[in-house]
Amino acid sequence: MAANSHGKTNGSTRWVGTRPVRPDGVDKVTGRARFGADVHLPNMLVGKVLRSPHAHARIRSIDTSAALALPGVKTVVTRDDFNDLPSEFVPAGEMLVNYRDVVRNVMAREKALFEGHPVAAVAAVSEKVAREALALIKVDYEVLPHVLDVVEAMAPDAPLLHEDMITAGVDPAPTTPSNVAKVVEFKIGDVEAGFAEADIVIEREFSTQPVHQGYIEPHSCIANYSEDGQAELWCTTQGHFVVRGHCAKLLGMDVSKLRVTASEIGGGFGGKTVVYLEPVALMLSRKSGQPVKMTMTREEVFQASGPAAGTRVWAKVGMTNEGRITAGEAVLKYQAGAFQGSPVQPGCMCAFAPYDLAHVKVVGYDVVVNRPKVAAYRAPGAPQSEFAVESIIDELAKRIGMDPVELRLKNAAKEGTKAAYGPTFGPVGLVETLEEAKAHDHYRAPLKPGQGRGVASGFWFNIGGETCATLNLGEDGTIALVAGTPDIGGSRASLCLQAAETLGVDVERIRPLIGDTSTLGYTFLTGGSRTAFASGMAVVEAARDMIRQLCERAAKIWDIPAEAVEWIDGEARPAGSNAGEFEPLSLADLARLAGKSGGPFVGRAQINAQGAGPSFGTHIVDVDVDRETGRVTIERYTVIQDAGKAVHPSYVEGQLQGGAVQGIGWALNEEYIYDDKGRLQNPGFLDYRIPVCSDVPMIDTVIVEVPNPTHPYGVRGVGETPIVPPMAAIANAVDSALGLRFTDLPMSPPRVLKALGDARVPEAA
Amino acid sequence: MRYEAPESVEGAVALLGGGGPRGRVLAGGTDLLVQLRAGVVAPELVVDIKRIAETREIREADGMLVIGAAVSGAELGEHPVAKALWPGVVESAELIGSTQIQGRASLAGNLCNASPAADTVPALVAAAATCKIAGPDGVRRIPVEDVCTGPGQLSLGDGEFVVAFEFPKRPLRSADAYLRFIPRTEMDIAVVGAGVNLTFDDGGRCVAARVALGAVAPTVILVEEAGEALVGTTCDAAALQEMAAAASAACRPIDDKRGTVEYRTEVAGVLATRAAGIAAQRAKGSQ
């Protein structure tokens, strides 16, 4: 139970692993919580963006004079207001962004590269006036041929988005430009030799559609730029320090002059790791001298933010008749959207990661197309490549009549496995999730006639990174916890639990806050499933810092050496030869005595968290297929995943369920529908179909705990892995039900009905 | 924009046909308000008919049901007589939108929004419901299927609006059903909708059948051939197959983001068959 003087656990925990009510819960259910659009300032203007109606067009000229002349319009911003920036890559979540592209994505320069690309923005006294002003801006476009499909974009005669784009990663470098930004390759062993050992080789081509992160809260921010060149920005984001960096760069500001506050966030899923409105709102505020608020409509969210990359993936897997996988090879072609930077690299890294393979080769292409620039979406890049591999693994299992869980167990990555992308795994929990799957009641439950069951595993590597945290001890012994990672999945609850565990105090005495960019040192964004892990490590570090100070203070009060004081169960106790000599001093006692004994207590940590443990998961799904309408119904779904240690099990379960549900949408219905001019036909939740509650059964969860040795409580990130297996698990289940293998997503009713009809034709003939 | 909420039919007619700007009728507003906010429409006059008592009433006289134009889906769904007499119509109204929308959405609004995919319209057409329409020249009555003439197009004249829906007397051994196909389970718009109303004789033979389809043509269509395929049969498998073929043959859908021609045509027959099965079960249960 007790923590020793270093705040380490002795295996069992008092707070970590419990399920208190989340500290942000009441405000959220009462409507008191302030989200992106809930901040209002005196003299606030409304900013609106004029967006390109064309998928691809050169911008010859922009005439804003009529808009500026409209009463109530305060200022207009176009490409002329932003300085061009040189090519420079910086991290954004698990992906990289290039400032040359960020400035162009925020406001089109030479060309509009997708429908919805911002071309100008207006700040006016009301939304109505702002909208009228947008209609008065005259843009002279030279409409150009566009390309939406990744394979078509790679063709030699495809319209070029960037006339100067020379493919990187190819030796020798090409002499002519193309839409292929980059080629990456990961290799281990010799795949030719591996395939030669195989008795069965299956290769197939797969496609996935771009899918939106589908956060309910649209992008929103309010900027307030003052006359002395300082500015405040409130926005809904997964990383306000990253927003600060991007905005300061685009506006030519010192980062110290820009204070960014993250609002409560109504969903992000990776999509709120980049900037869209924020630099524009700052520029409008700088030019108008008034606060400017901007909020996207849902249509704008779909046209111009996200999505995850649409892909074409070819994969090939070889296996012996005994079920030993001998080699895996894949070629991944990922849509980047209008600017380079698809998550094809993590896609390559994850493709075969669940398996202990001697021979792997994965080649990835990062390809620009006339769609919005892709953004991170939960395990960016991994669901697409693992869909392909996990589908083939299922087919191989069926080919030799082996149970698909057994086949995976036979080949599973484990501690000591060298992954094709470089690292050798430490303790990982894939085998444990597979064993749990095998033993689960779901896996043995009988199916009704016509139903099918599918299984798939998934992997995500998780990240750490730069992280700060502070614990401020109040005079009554309660604590304000300040973290810099916006809470998108219950992390405030989990950080409080980790602090309570380390300090040995009741979690109710710790109140968390996401500090703005001026209250803490640089803290990387919430992404890569890093927050419970990295901010957790920082909080534990800060708690240990505070314990050290508390022990020193007790020693001073007792007039004994600091080493002779230990911290147990939330109080300082004299130890060693002094044991029992003095009454213990509790946290509250020391807090009360702080002023008289040497001053306040502040625990601090600034770390670069290393050693994020990867997380593996295995999903089991039962489907029913309506043979007459093509509708696939998810009848039962179980997620089994390694959490390392579930700090707040309810929120781990929530992550597992949420990932599965988003994967179900990706598998069955979600897709972008464009007309022949490259205009999006379904920019809304009516026709872009994320699942509603009644579309899915209660998702059952099993948390496996294989501790991550680098985290004090064994935590691994859990938020991303659960979106990786669903697409293959469902396709494998549909194949079990119908004997039809779907390699193209989504498996929507028209596609399923058509495949059923096509399959019937030979019988009829 | 001027907003008026008259308390009489005459008051509404005077506003709508008063020679001023063409007004829009507001019942539940679940389509109109969305269109206003999206900038799709910008009427100078909005006439809210909800304060007219007749539009909010569900009445039953001599076995005949009358449902006011602005009665909400939620009210309809809790009305025992409406549910007993016209379960297909009630279930079609209850499919629309969310719980919140159900508190507002009305039959007349669904009809006069003039979408080919409106859920209640195939059920109303199958039920042979009649619209009571008030206008400058008094009251007239037309079959529901004559109200919409195309997507967004109505046959109503200046100053006219729908006051109520009148249903025929429900015979013994008679019932209706409505089914739609959507890729989700709720909160969606019909890719195909099918309303079926059947009446059987005491020997279990179908004596009257009306089959109406939504989202497969510019307006909701009454497929007489489909109904005829069932009349005189026990709605056995062969008759249902013939009915389904007639239903599919009547489809003149378009390819759009919600479905393909091929898909809608095939599924129309499937849904009509299933709806007929449900209606037949209900009819047998009602004797």
Side-chain angles (χ1 to χ4, degrees), chain A residues 626 628-629 631 669 673 681 685-690 692 694-695 749-750 753-754 760, chain B residues 181-189 191 257-260 262-263 266-267 270-271 274:
Chain A
D626 184 332
E628 291 182 320
T629 66
R631 175 209 284 282
N669 277 310
I673 302 164
Q681 297 302 291
F685 283 132
L686 181 57
D687 290 303
Y688 180 87
R689 293 185 176 82
I690 63 174
V692 297
S694 54
D695 289 342
L753 193 63
K754 184 166 189 325
R760 274 196 295 268
Chain B
F181 184 84
I182 54 173
R184 279 191 284 237
T185 46
E186 58 180 321
M187 305 290 288
D188 213 330
I189 289 181
V191 176
K257 60 194 173 189
R258 300 201 177 112
T260 59
E262 188 185 15
Y263 185 77
E266 183 169 349
V267 173
V270 172
L271 287 198
R274 291 180 180 180

Side-chain angles (χ1 to χ4, degrees), chain A residues 298-332:
Chain A
R298 181 64 55 193
E299 190 175 14
E300 289 178 293
V301 169
F302 274 107
Q303 284 176 346
S305 75
T311 66
R312 195 72 74 86
V313 174
W314 170 88
K316 177 178 173 182
V317 183
M319 190 181 73
T320 66
N321 284 330
E322 293 72 43
R324 185 175 63 82
I325 301 171
T326 60
E329 188 177 359
V331 176
L332 279 51

Side-chain angles (χ1 to χ4, degrees), chain B residues 5-276:
Chain B
E7 294 183 3
S8 69
V9 169
E10 296 71 26
V13 169
L15 284 160
L16 290 165
R22 179 89 196 238
R24 284 291 299 261
V25 177
L26 172 74
T30 58
D31 285 310
L32 182 61
L33 295 194
V34 174
Q35 291 164 9
L36 277 171
R37 289 190 58 152
V40 175
V41 296
E44 289 174 53
L45 171 68
V46 170
V47 178
D48 185 345
I49 59 168
K50 283 194 293 298
R51 290 194 196 164
I52 303 168
E54 191 181 349
T55 71
R56 300 296 307 281
E57 288 171 0
I58 304 175
R59 282 184 290 124
E60 191 213 348
D62 198 19
M64 287 191 286
L65 191 72
V66 179
I67 301 173
V71 167
S72 73
E75 288 166 330
L76 201 53
E78 290 184 2
H79 199 278
V81 178
K83 277 162 64 180
L85 289 176
W86 298 99
V89 171
V90 174
E91 70 196 351
S92 74
E94 289 192 298
L95 283 174
I96 297 170
S98 60
T99 301
Q100 292 89 332
I101 295 291
Q102 278 291 304
R104 288 271 165 184
S106 67
L107 293 183
N110 195 226
L111 173 64
C112 294
N113 186 49
S115 160
D119 281 309
T120 62
V121 181
L124 290 166
V125 170
T130 300
C131 274
K132 178 183 174 187
I133 294 165
D137 300 327
V139 168
R140 64 185 180 108
R141 289 176 167 77
I142 59 171
V144 169
E145 55 267 36
D146 291 346
V147 174
C148 297
T149 55
Q153 305 291 317
L154 298 177
S155 64
L156 302 189
D158 276 356
E160 286 193 323
F161 74 101
V162 177
V163 180
F165 294 86
E166 297 173 347
F167 292 77
K169 196 171 160 82
R170 176 61 92 184
L172 283 176
R173 296 174 295 276
S174 176
D176 62 338
Y178 175 76
L179 285 178
R180 67 172 180 186
F181 184 84
I182 54 173
R184 279 191 284 237
T185 46
E186 58 180 321
M187 305 290 288
D188 213 330
I189 289 181
V191 176
V192 180
V196 178
N197 187 28
L198 302 177
T199 303
F200 294 85
D201 65 16
D202 55 8
R205 206 155 288 275
C206 180
V207 291
R210 282 170 71 92
V211 177
L213 299 174
V216 295
T219 64
V220 167
I221 52 173
L222 174 66
V223 187
E224 288 176 2
E225 300 79 3
E228 284 161 10
L230 297 178
V231 172
T233 76
T234 56
C235 293
D236 54 296
L240 287 170
Q241 201 170 353
E242 197 182 323
M243 187 275 293
S248 289
C251 294
R252 301 187 305 281
I254 54 167
D255 276 325
D256 71 4
K257 60 194 173 189
R258 300 201 177 112
T260 59
V261 168
E262 188 185 15
Y263 185 77
R264 286 182 154 127
T265 304
E266 183 169 349
V267 173
V270 172
L271 287 198
T273 305
R274 291 180 180 180

